[in-house]
């Protein structure tokens, strides 16, 4: 066998995306180039790595096993580079972070200057739902996780990054004759919920439970972005994190309904396992945050205080 590191990287990406098109886009290659390299890689095995059914590409069981081994090889190759740079006193390595979906409006601002300062640090950031974020943290697959609700069954350390405010929002204000007292307003409007297990859903339900409020749930959706689009379409109202609705509020596409007890407040927190041995990159990042957090908030999130 005579496969190259380039072929290994390409096949790992194909196994992740299940698509020649997406692989070509993410690796900045043409589709024919990806197809040729996949064929050249396949020719070194007697067992199929992939198969096409209809127009969909599938990775075979054997192909999945090869992709796992290829990923391990590539990680070892990267580690060689990081070790080489470390001997030159250059900070290098991977920074792996898992972020809840709305956290995508927060986390990049706390990473930009760090990555500019340390050119050899490679970022891996997965944006997903709260359950998957916590699972990846518990299984020690990431260095840090960004959440707005602390887990109760995992021992973690945390760093508060930013205040999280949630408001009742819709695409139009309530009519003048509609009440804005807590219990009556939620009886009058159709409510859109996030899916079970999301941080936003957890905060909503805790608020309703504490205040003995009953609501009319008309639908539940998988992401805050999906909920926001439903609000824009006039399908109902929802309790939304302020951080993801800045432009829609400024353009008056969404409106905050002034209800007693709002905003609901929590914090965006970067968390890590309590007993985890942090890598030099992770330690450098925490030090960067301690020095630069206040300036990042002032430069990028000062608008939050006006709500």
């Amino acid at each position: 066998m005579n496969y190259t590191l380039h072929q290994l990287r390409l096949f790992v990406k194909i196994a992740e995306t299940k698509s020649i098109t997406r692989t070509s886009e993410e690796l900045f290659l043409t589709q024919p180039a990806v197809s040729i390299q996949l064929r050249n890689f396949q020719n070194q095995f007697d067992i199929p790595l992939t198969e096409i059914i209809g127009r969909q590409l599938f990775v075979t069981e054997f192909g999945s096993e090869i992709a796992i081994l290829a990923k391990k090889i590539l990680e070892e190759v990267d580690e060689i580079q990081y070790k080489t740079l470390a001997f030159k006193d250059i900070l290098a390595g991977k920074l792996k972070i898992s972020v809840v979906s709305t956290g995508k409006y927060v986390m990049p601002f706390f990473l930009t200057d760090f990555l500019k300062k340390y050119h050899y640090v490679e970022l891996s950031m997965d944006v997903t739902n709260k359950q998957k974020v916590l699972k990846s943290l518990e299984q020690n697959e990431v260095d840090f996780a960004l959440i707005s609700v602390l887990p109760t069954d995992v021992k973690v350390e945390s760093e508060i990054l930013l205040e999280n405010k949630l408001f009742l929002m819709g695409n139009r204000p309530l009519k003048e004759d509609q009440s804005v007292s807590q219990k009556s307003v939620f009886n009058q409007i159709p409510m859109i919920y996030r899916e079970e297990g999301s941080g936003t859903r957890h905060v909503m339900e805790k608020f309703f439970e504490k205040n003995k409020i009953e609501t009319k749930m008309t639908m539940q959706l998988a992401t805050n972005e999906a909920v926001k689009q439903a609000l824009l379409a006039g399908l109902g109202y929802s309790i939304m994190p302020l951080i993801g609705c800045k432009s829609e509020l400024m353009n008056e596409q969404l409106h905050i309904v002034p209800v007693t007890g709002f905003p609901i407040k929590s914090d965006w927190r970067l968390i890590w396992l309590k007993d985890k041995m942090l890598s030099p990159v992770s330690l450098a990042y925490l030090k960067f945050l301690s020095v630069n957090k206040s300036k990042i908030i002032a430069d990028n999130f000062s608008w939050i205080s006006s709500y």
Side-chain angles (χ1 to χ4, degrees):
M1 292 186 178
N2 193 30
Y3 39 75
T4 65
L5 292 175
H6 176 65
Q7 288 173 340
L8 293 178
R9 291 188 191 280
L10 184 142
F11 185 67
V12 167
K13 183 59 67 175
I14 288 174
E16 291 174 355
T17 64
K18 310 293 191 298
S19 168
I20 297 295
T21 301
R22 283 187 58 195
T23 297
S24 67
E25 291 172 349
E26 294 189 23
L27 297 182
F28 303 101
L29 298 169
T30 65
Q31 291 185 39
V34 172
S35 297
I36 290 170
Q37 288 299 320
L38 175 59
R39 184 170 64 248
N40 291 341
F41 189 56
Q42 173 65 78
N43 288 341
Q44 299 178 72
F45 300 92
D46 296 328
I47 306 171
L49 299 169
T50 62
E51 58 184 349
I52 303 293
I53 300 177
R55 300 181 64 182
Q56 177 65 47
L57 182 147
F58 293 89
V59 179
T60 65
E61 182 179 356
F62 176 69
S64 296
E65 294 292 333
I66 294 301
I68 292 171
L69 293 172
K71 188 173 182 179
K72 290 180 180 178
I73 293 170
L74 293 171
E75 288 174 350
E76 292 297 324
V77 170
D78 289 340
E79 192 62 29
I80 291 173
Q81 181 184 12
Y82 300 148
K83 291 292 184 183
T84 303
L85 291 168
F87 269 82
K88 298 179 181 179
D89 291 326
I90 298 173
L91 184 67
K94 281 190 176 181
L95 182 63
K96 294 178 285 186
I97 303 176
S98 189
V99 178
V100 294
S101 58
T102 309
K104 66 187 178 186
Y105 299 106
V106 177
M107 200 68 236
F109 294 97
F110 289 92
L111 286 166
T112 300
D113 288 341
F114 178 77
L115 295 175
K116 286 180 179 178
K117 181 177 182 180
Y118 299 108
H119 303 287
Y120 293 100
V121 171
E122 179 184 346
L123 173 67
S124 173
M125 188 171 80
D126 182 35
V127 180
T128 184
N129 61 45
K130 178 190 170 187
Q131 289 179 330
K132 291 182 179 178
V133 166
L134 291 179
K135 183 179 179 181
S136 64
L137 184 74
E138 289 176 37
Q139 295 181 348
N140 202 26
E141 296 172 351
V142 296
D143 301 306
F144 300 108
L146 181 71
I147 59 168
S148 59
V149 179
L150 278 173
T152 57
D153 55 350
V154 184
K155 293 182 179 180
V156 298
E157 302 281 358
S158 70
E159 173 79 22
I160 295 175
L161 297 188
L162 187 68
E163 185 177 53
N164 184 31
K165 293 182 179 180
L166 296 95
F167 291 89
L168 178 63
M169 299 186 194
N171 76 337
R172 58 190 178 277
L174 293 181
K175 296 178 182 178
E176 291 184 3
D177 60 345
Q178 286 182 295
S179 171
V180 292
S181 67
Q182 277 186 10
K183 294 186 178 180
S184 60
V185 71
F186 289 108
N187 288 329
Q188 299 175 54
I189 58 176
M191 286 293 295
I192 301 172
Y193 276 57
R194 277 290 306 276
E195 84 286 8
E196 292 279 358
S198 81
T200 301
R201 172 76 172 256
H202 175 81
V203 170
M204 285 176 60
E205 291 183 332
K206 283 290 185 182
F207 178 83
F208 293 147
E209 180 183 347
K210 178 182 178 181
N211 293 281
K212 300 179 181 179
I213 295 171
E214 294 185 3
T215 64
K216 298 184 291 185
M217 182 175 70
T218 57
M219 67 181 75
Q220 62 177 7
L221 300 170
T223 65
N224 276 334
E225 193 63 31
V227 173
K228 183 166 67 175
Q229 293 305 316
L231 298 187
L232 291 171
L235 295 177
Y237 292 79
S238 189
I239 294 175
M240 294 286 288
L242 178 66
I243 194 70
C245 301
K246 179 182 179 182
S247 61
E248 289 80 10
L249 289 169
M250 292 183 67
N251 295 330
E252 298 188 349
Q253 294 173 290
L254 288 179
H255 297 269
I256 291 175
V257 180
V259 182
T260 305
F262 282 80
I264 305 171
K265 296 181 180 181
S266 62
D267 293 299
W268 289 109
R269 293 174 181 263
L270 196 69
I271 64 173
W272 60 97
L273 293 175
K274 188 175 181 63
D275 298 322
K276 183 176 177 63
M277 293 291 292
L278 295 176
S279 69
V281 170
S282 297
L283 291 171
Y285 184 57
L286 289 178
K287 183 177 180 180
F288 166 84
L289 287 177
S290 69
V291 173
N292 296 281
K293 182 172 66 173
S294 296
K295 184 177 186 303
I296 293 170
I297 294 172
D299 289 347
N300 299 285
F301 299 105
S302 59
W303 61 273
I304 289 176
S305 61
S306 62
Y307 289 89

